Amino acid sequence: MAYFESVNKIQYEGPKSTNPFAFKYYNPEEKINGKTMEELLRFSVAYWHTFTANGSDPFGVGTAIRPWDHLKGLDLAKARVEASFELFEKLDVPFFAFHDVDIAPEGSTLKETNKNLDVIVAMIKDYMKTSKVKLLWNTANMFTNPRYTHGAATSPNADVFAYSAAKVKKGLEVAKELGAENYVFWGGREGYETLLNTDMKLEMDNLARFFHMAVNYAKEIGLNVPFLIEPKPKEPTKHQYDFDVATGLAFLQKYDLTDYFKFNIEANHATLAGHTFEHELRTARINGMLGSVDANQGDTLLGWDTDEFPTDLYTNTLAMYEILKNGGLGKGGLNFDAKVRRGSFDTDDLFHAHIAGMDAFAVGLKVANKLIEDKVLDGFVEERYSSYTKGIGLDIVEGKTNFRELEAYALGLTEIKNTSGRTERLKALINQYLLETL
Ligand code: XLS
Ligand code: NI
Ligand code: NI
């Protein structure tokens, strides 16, 4: 049965195409520096936004009209799997990602929940046999059910900690079963509402204990994939422990977890933390911790995680710049952790949204690649720091000097000359590349 009958396989038709169901810039086979766009961009569909969510928000019920709306329970879950593979194939995306509760209904006991999960995982596994689509990552939803109201691994209630461990144990088994490329931890409720009732130290120690147990279990079952922490500063908690990449990195270093973890960086989480997307990517990249990306965008006028499809060419270009500089995403990908707006309730919108995001990232890739090829920023940055390649600067970076020597050097200086940072010139260059590259 077809769920999206009105849509055929999306083809690349080029920038002149007026076909709304065609790629204008994303050409999976096109090579950039010897690698195809498909290999470089590694797009992934987020199951929760595209198949599970219904467009509800805190002020209103769902608006989405889906061909599986009349179904319930496991039948609903099965229909979504069928629909998902149809969409993956029609969009020609190589990856998808899910939370446990996205794919299968929760039962009244953990045992029943796991049984439901087993049924759907087996079905997904079957579909994967005849499809090229792979699982970018899976994760355990430990934020929706009321039991997680005070957190999961950071709950003050040890029973919740245990329950959460059981969920992640199962999640790791599912990752192994489906050949996932990564496993994600987003600490949705791993934070606090008020310090008045919170033992922050114990909560963070427990979170680290939890992660170590996850590492041990993965080793035990032979699941050898990067674990990814997805930082977010707030929402739903007032303060989330994995605030941003820098905070997450300090945590991983303190608790001796850096060998197993990298980061899954989401654009909208970066902006919620008061950073740009590229700042978070850069911070992860220079520390060798860039694992994967949740590709979406926020709204500068709204202070929450609006999870919009990433259509901003400027931001995507700067993001792809970091990703290319990282030598690609390795086992990570660009996962559209993005949802159609509540008013975009047709199934056609699911396609328009993904096409928009894929095309916009393809543009970002091409422009970023050209910026790197032409050494537009590299050349400038190199020159800007050239004082560290000779004389006293070289001594500093080589660790060959000290405060006494530097004081003697400074005393001998008659004049200190700075050069312009040329911000506006560089921004104009980026605009020029954005308009001229394609
Ligand atoms: C929510 C997060 C979530 C993670 C996976 O803000 O982005 O969707 O990506 O749990
Ligand atoms: Ni996310
Ligand atoms: Ni998010």
Side-chain angles (χ1 to χ4, degrees):
M1 175 193 164
Y3 291 83
F4 310 111
E5 257 171 81
S6 59
V7 183
N8 295 319
K9 191 165 174 169
I10 312 297
Q11 311 279 354
Y12 170 71
E13 290 186 7
K16 295 266 177 323
S17 170
T18 54
N19 176 3
F21 293 102
F23 294 120
K24 319 296 183 300
Y25 303 100
Y26 177 60
N27 181 2
E29 280 127 51
E30 185 177 329
K31 287 203 168 161
I32 289 173
N33 272 333
K35 277 198 181 160
T36 64
M37 276 202 187
E38 181 174 331
E39 288 166 329
L40 286 165
L41 293 164
R42 295 171 62 87
F43 288 128
S44 157
V45 172
Y47 206 95
W48 54 102
H49 285 309
T50 294
F51 304 106
T52 318
N54 62 6
S56 62
D57 70 13
F59 300 94
V61 296
T63 54
I65 302 168
R66 302 288 182 247
W68 48 83
D69 283 343
H70 60 290
L71 298 169
K72 281 207 164 47
L74 274 173
D75 290 337
L76 171 61
K78 287 177 185 169
R80 282 176 173 148
V81 174
E82 291 167 3
S84 72
F85 277 83
E86 185 185 333
L87 180 131
F88 302 154
E89 245 111 82
K90 286 189 167 166
L91 279 172
D92 199 19
V93 283
F95 295 102
F96 69 116
F98 63 77
H99 303 83
D100 45 9
V101 305
D102 305 333
I103 61 165
E106 284 187 275
S108 48
T109 61
L110 179 60
K111 214 170 171 184
E112 207 181 298
T113 301
N114 285 347
K115 230 174 95 196
N116 290 346
L117 202 54
D118 288 340
V119 172
I120 301 301
V121 166
M123 183 176 174
I124 290 178
K125 195 175 177 183
D126 245 22
Y127 266 85
M128 287 173 80
K129 280 185 194 145
T130 54
S131 158
K132 73 165 192 189
V133 184
K134 292 206 221 154
L135 182 59
L136 185 67
W137 50 261
N138 62 309
T139 185
N141 174 325
M142 303 198 291
F143 43 90
T144 302
N145 192 292
R147 82 176 64 87
Y148 305 115
T149 185
H150 301 308
T154 63
S155 171
N157 182 347
D159 284 354
V160 176
F161 185 104
Y163 197 98
S164 307
K167 292 291 273 180
V168 171
K169 175 179 176 287
K170 183 74 182 166
L172 298 173
E173 289 159 9
V174 168
K176 168 98 179 156
E177 179 72 7
L178 295 180
E181 307 266 304
N182 307 272
Y183 187 85
V184 162
F185 293 88
W186 171 59
R189 297 201 189 267
E190 311 293 29
Y192 63 81
E193 181 57 40
T194 169
L195 282 177
L196 298 177
N197 64 11
T198 301
D199 185 340
M200 190 171 174
K201 179 162 188 319
L202 179 63
E203 290 200 2
M204 295 187 80
D205 287 350
N206 278 350
L207 185 58
R209 289 182 183 110
F210 192 90
F211 285 151
H212 274 289
M213 287 188 228
V215 167
N216 290 342
Y217 189 67
K219 279 188 190 158
E220 203 180 309
I221 63 170
L223 174 71
N224 187 16
V225 301
F227 280 1
L228 305 177
I229 285 190
E230 185 177 322
K232 185 174 182 180
K234 55 188 168 193
E235 195 202 290
T237 54
K238 179 169 128 177
H239 178 92
Q240 200 160 300
Y241 292 135
D242 306 323
F243 191 94
D244 58 4
V245 172
T247 312
L249 183 56
F251 175 89
L252 293 175
Q253 283 167 340
K254 173 176 176 192
Y255 293 101
D256 201 18
L257 285 160
T258 46
D259 287 352
Y260 313 102
F261 283 81
K262 287 185 172 179
F263 291 99
N264 181 37
I265 296 169
E266 179 164 322
N268 205 161
H269 297 184
T271 50
L272 284 180
H275 302 307
T276 59
F277 187 18
E278 60 271 22
H279 167 95
E280 287 293 83
L281 292 167
R282 176 77 60 99
T283 308
R285 165 165 85 79
I286 62 173
N287 288 293
M289 297 295 275
L290 177 49
S292 196
V293 169
D294 269 4
N296 64 11
Q297 69 187 33
D299 186 318
T300 46
L301 301 181
L302 302 174
W304 66 91
D305 200 12
T306 58
D307 285 345
E308 293 170 32
F309 274 83
T311 52
D312 182 331
L313 301 180
Y314 200 92
T315 302
N316 292 355
T317 297
L318 297 184
M320 283 314 299
Y321 188 85
E322 297 303 324
I323 290 167
L324 288 176
K325 282 278 183 185
N326 191 58
L329 283 166
K331 294 192 97 198
L334 294 175
N335 175 52
F336 291 115
D337 190 350
K339 58 186 174 205
V340 288
R341 297 304 85 194
R342 190 164 180 266
S344 305
F345 45 73
D346 281 349
T347 49
D348 279 2
D349 292 309
L350 297 175
F351 288 87
H352 293 315
H354 283 91
I355 292 169
M358 290 161 87
D359 269 341
F361 257 98
V363 171
L365 166 62
K366 284 188 145 183
V367 179
N369 183 59
K370 192 87 174 78
L371 285 167
I372 293 171
E373 240 173 48
D374 292 357
K375 290 193 96 201
V376 176
L377 303 176
D378 279 337
F380 186 84
V381 172
E382 222 173 89
E383 178 59 33
R384 189 161 187 242
Y385 292 85
S386 58
S387 67
Y388 289 97
T389 61
K390 52 190 180 289
I392 196 75
L394 189 60
D395 286 348
I396 292 171
V397 296
E398 288 186 341
K400 285 186 184 153
T401 187
N402 55 46
F403 266 18
R404 275 180 212 290
E405 274 178 31
L406 289 168
E407 183 195 44
Y409 178 85
L411 285 168
L413 287 171
T414 44
E415 190 194 6
I416 290 182
K417 260 211 218 150
N418 274 319
T419 49
S420 167
R422 298 269 186 264
T423 301
E424 297 77 6
R425 166 78 188 120
L426 295 171
K427 287 190 172 179
L429 269 168
I430 304 271
N431 283 348
Q432 203 177 352
Y433 271 75
L434 261 162
L435 291 167
E436 299 301 328
T437 298
L438 300 167

